[in-house]
Amino acid sequence: MAPREKIKEKDRKMYEEELKVLKTIVKDQKEEIEALKRDAGEKQRKLETTVEDMQKVIENLENKVHSMKIDNAKEKKFKDVIEQMKDKIECPVCLDVPRSSPIPVCPNGHVVCKECKTDSCPTCRVAMGNGKSLLASIVIENIDHKCKLDDCEDMFAVDKLDDHSKVCAHRTVKCPHPTCSEKVSLAKLLDHLGKNKSCSFDDAPKLLEKDSPGGIKTYTFKDQFLNPGNITWGLNIFSYEGVNFAILPEKYDGFYYVSFVMFSSEVECSKYKIEMTLHERGSTSQDAEVSFKYCGKPCSIDGEKSDYKYYGVAVNTKGMEDILKTRINNMFGFKVTFSIRKTD
């Protein structure tokens, strides 16, 4: 074969190889393009599905907003009607809405509460008579009433008011100190104790740690009170997990009492357990030669002050002799070690 023909044959084979490679590349690119098209189609379908789902969510939200607007309008209308009804049955004398039936009504339809009723109607001055308003009775049974205690803004159905008043934070309680006759709102009891040093040693409650809820207090007195006089000490106030309580020591009529008073309802007190040990100074509750112990629930601030002594340590004068045998700085004294825990 001539040299020129050999070169042409060589070029032809080279071109064929290049063409083969190019065809392979084109084929791969076509396949890649088809794959991209399929992927794009799948993504588009997913996107369309997502858009449809979002449109459904938007429609649901719009429907809910519309329903809420309707409900709010109905609620406002209902509240307006209730207020109008309250105005109609409000006593014109004391300006309170009656809380119990029967409700007196005059011949002209004017109501007055039982406490303010007289011989004549306070609104139109006609004779009251013995009329009773059944409509007013139905209204008071189906509306919420404001708590009757000062500073409380809570509202309750008429049959729930008494239960609430027993645990309301604004209910009236007695200062727990034996010689104080002050009555205050429970919400203001700490303020009262903090301002009256004759009632409490502490300006504010001492916070007890959750991991070790307890403490030790020492109480002293001069020898002239040893026998037979009575002694009262100031309270020591503590706080544990949002609940306030006081330790109340007292010597009265030949007995030493150390009471534990919790500033909560009877029901709430039943959820706690306390331990108190009365022992001599210079010792712990574990190594004391003589000690007296109480274990049980605390006393509620709602209870009678005369009952406090039954919820704590009570020791007669004879039993205290060993505890008070040593004077320190010319003062007799004793220690009280205590702990508190929640039972549920």
Side-chain angles (χ1 to χ4, degrees):
M1 183 178 294
R4 181 175 292 180
E5 291 178 354
K6 288 182 178 180
I7 292 172
K8 288 182 178 180
E9 180 65 21
K10 184 178 180 181
D11 290 342
R12 184 183 64 76
K13 289 182 178 180
M14 182 183 68
Y15 291 147
E16 287 178 351
E17 289 296 327
E18 289 181 355
L19 181 61
K20 186 177 180 180
V21 171
L22 289 172
K23 286 181 177 179
T24 301
I25 292 173
V26 169
K27 181 181 178 182
D28 291 343
Q29 288 181 342
K30 285 183 177 180
E31 290 177 352
E32 185 176 350
I33 290 170
E34 290 298 323
L36 289 172
K37 286 181 178 179
R38 289 194 298 272
D39 186 49
E42 184 65 26
K43 287 183 178 179
Q44 183 176 356
R45 285 191 292 273
K46 288 183 178 179
L47 180 60
E48 290 173 351
T49 301
T50 301
V51 170
E52 290 177 359
D53 291 341
M54 291 180 66
Q55 287 176 339
K56 290 179 181 178
V57 171
I58 292 172
E59 289 176 1
N60 288 335
L61 289 174
E62 287 177 343
N63 290 334
K64 287 182 179 180
V65 170
H66 181 67
S67 297
M68 289 175 66
K69 287 181 178 179
I70 295 175
D71 291 342
N72 288 338
K74 289 181 178 178
E75 183 178 0
K76 183 179 183 303
K77 185 176 180 180
F78 176 75
K79 287 182 177 179
D80 290 342
V81 171
I82 291 297
E83 289 303 317
Q84 292 177 22
M85 294 172 71
K86 284 183 178 180
D87 289 340
K88 295 298 182 182
I89 64 172
E90 183 181 83
C91 175
V93 180
C94 64
L95 303 181
D96 285 335
V97 174
R99 297 168 184 261
S100 62
S101 301
I103 300 174
V105 61
C106 81
N108 292 324
H110 302 126
V111 300
V112 63
C113 70
K114 290 180 287 186
E115 290 77 11
C116 297
K117 180 189 175 184
T118 59
D119 292 336
S120 61
C121 173
T123 301
C124 65
R125 303 305 177 186
V126 302
M128 280 296 299
N130 296 315
K132 304 293 186 293
S133 175
L134 296 178
L135 178 60
S137 297
I138 293 173
V139 171
I140 66 169
E141 292 172 0
N142 289 277
I143 63 173
D144 287 341
H145 298 258
K146 182 178 175 296
C147 174
K148 61 184 178 181
L149 298 171
D150 292 339
D151 299 324
C152 182
E153 299 297 327
D154 293 337
M155 305 286 289
F156 297 92
V158 69
D159 59 340
K160 303 295 183 183
L161 283 171
D162 288 341
D163 290 339
H164 166 73
S165 64
K166 295 175 183 178
V167 297
C168 181
H170 301 280
R171 66 187 183 274
T172 301
V173 297
K174 298 176 183 177
C175 172
H177 193 273
T179 63
C180 182
S181 59
E182 194 78 17
K183 293 182 180 181
V184 297
S185 163
L186 178 59
K188 298 177 181 178
L189 179 58
L190 290 179
D191 291 337
H192 164 76
L193 294 173
K195 294 175 182 178
N196 291 273
K197 296 304 178 185
S198 60
C199 294
S200 172
F201 288 135
D202 303 321
D203 294 331
K206 178 183 177 182
L207 184 64
L208 298 182
E209 297 295 334
K210 186 175 182 179
D211 296 334
S212 56
I216 302 173
K217 300 304 297 184
T218 300
Y219 301 96
T220 60
F221 57 94
K222 294 181 180 180
D223 55 1
Q224 63 261 36
F225 294 105
L226 184 61
N227 190 36
N230 297 329
I231 309 172
T232 57
W233 289 268
L235 308 179
N236 285 117
I237 315 170
F238 301 89
S239 179
Y240 172 62
E241 293 190 343
V243 177
N244 300 311
F245 61 89
I247 292 179
L248 171 59
E250 178 186 13
K251 181 192 175 189
Y252 179 76
D253 199 21
F255 275 81
Y256 290 80
Y257 300 100
V258 183
S259 306
F260 197 101
V261 183
M262 183 173 283
F263 302 167
S264 300
S265 66
E266 294 279 1
V267 173
E268 192 67 18
C269 288
S270 67
K271 301 176 183 178
Y272 291 83
K273 187 175 183 180
I274 60 168
E275 291 187 8
M276 283 197 303
T277 304
L278 188 155
H279 55 95
E280 72 267 22
R281 290 187 292 176
S283 70
T284 66
S285 59
Q286 288 80 20
D287 62 19
E289 292 184 8
V290 179
S291 64
F292 298 89
K293 187 175 183 179
Y294 170 80
C295 181
K297 72 173 185 177
C299 182
S300 169
I301 190 68
D302 296 323
E304 292 295 329
K305 291 173 69 170
S306 58
D307 292 340
Y308 289 172
K309 62 176 70 71
Y310 304 123
Y311 294 89
V313 181
V315 186
N316 62 23
T317 303
K318 183 66 177 177
M320 288 291 291
E321 287 182 356
D322 287 339
I323 291 177
L324 300 174
K325 62 186 178 182
T326 303
R327 284 189 295 180
I328 300 176
N329 297 327
N330 294 319
M331 300 286 284
F332 290 101
F334 57 90
K335 278 187 175 181
V336 175
T337 300
F338 72 93
S339 64
I340 180 173
R341 63 182 176 87
K342 201 167 186 179
T343 57
D344 60 354

